[in-house]
Amino acid sequence: LWEHSMTMKSSDPQMAEDMARMQKELAAMPPEQRKQMEAMMAAQGMKMGMAAGAGWPAMSAKVCLTIEQAARDEMPPPAEGDCKQTSMQRSGNTLRMKFACTGKQPVTGEGEYTLEGPKAHRGRTTIDTQEAGKTVRMEMNHSGRWLAADCGAIKPRPSSGQNRP
């Protein structure tokens, strides 16, 4: 069981406005309603908080990897969409990859992960997509830490072995 945390920013001013509005709505919720929403997200292994000074929520999700997935040193595919790694290079403890996703809203991206031993990693990912004929870029900083050998109720993600170039 791993916990992946991330913060993000977007080149799309509308997305920043939407995020600010969502934050205000969450802050204005009665405590009981906010607790219900947080409990619903926690049941799916997710939680959100405010990233200090970033203006974007910090998000975290619990992810289950099988022993086989962990042994392959590969990044798991997203839970949704048809994404394929188009390249992956490893140099020492750093993985660099590029990917492309098809579907309703195709995206391309690249990322770099630095493995900080067997129980932690950090990195960055850049994703490009099209919105109303314009390229929108999202940049994410993320980290991961190993929590436990037992994933509990969280199911393993699909293997990306079939998606390797």
Side-chain angles (χ1 to χ4, degrees):
L1 181 64
W2 284 78
E3 180 179 59
H4 293 175
S5 301
M6 73 179 81
T7 58
M8 63 182 156
K9 65 180 179 175
S10 172
S11 65
D12 182 3
Q14 181 63 47
M15 190 176 284
E17 288 175 23
D18 291 346
M19 191 62 67
R21 186 176 58 251
M22 182 186 80
Q23 290 172 4
K24 286 180 185 175
E25 290 172 3
L26 285 172
M29 275 184 188
E32 190 172 301
Q33 187 179 4
R34 189 171 35 234
K35 280 185 181 181
Q36 286 178 335
M37 179 176 263
E38 289 170 352
M40 210 168 46
M41 292 175 69
Q44 297 175 19
M46 298 181 69
K47 66 180 179 179
M48 287 179 61
M50 296 305 298
W56 286 82
M59 295 178 275
S60 67
K62 291 181 180 168
V63 177
C64 183
L65 297 177
T66 65
I67 293 170
E68 295 80 12
Q69 288 168 329
R72 284 196 290 264
D73 279 339
E74 63 184 24
M75 300 312 295
E80 298 177 9
D82 183 16
C83 296
K84 296 185 187 293
Q85 289 182 359
T86 58
S87 75
M88 181 163 25
Q89 299 171 337
R90 183 169 183 160
S91 176
N93 65 340
T94 300
L95 295 170
R96 288 179 185 83
M97 61 149 183
K98 293 183 181 182
F99 59 91
C101 304
T102 58
K104 289 183 203 174
Q105 191 167 14
V107 299
T108 58
E110 60 184 52
E112 180 176 292
Y113 294 80
T114 301
L115 306 173
E116 299 173 331
K119 294 186 177 184
H121 63 80
R122 64 180 162 76
R124 62 156 190 82
T125 302
T126 303
I127 298 172
D128 292 322
T129 190
Q130 297 292 313
E131 286 278 332
K134 295 181 185 175
T135 299
V136 175
R137 174 164 280 192
M138 292 184 64
E139 297 177 9
M140 294 180 277
N141 288 311
H142 39 81
S143 62
R145 65 186 181 105
W146 183 81
L147 298 175
D150 182 356
C151 292
I154 298 174
K155 301 291 182 216
R157 300 208 37 206
S159 177
S160 62
Q162 71 272 14
N163 292 343
R164 296 184 91 171

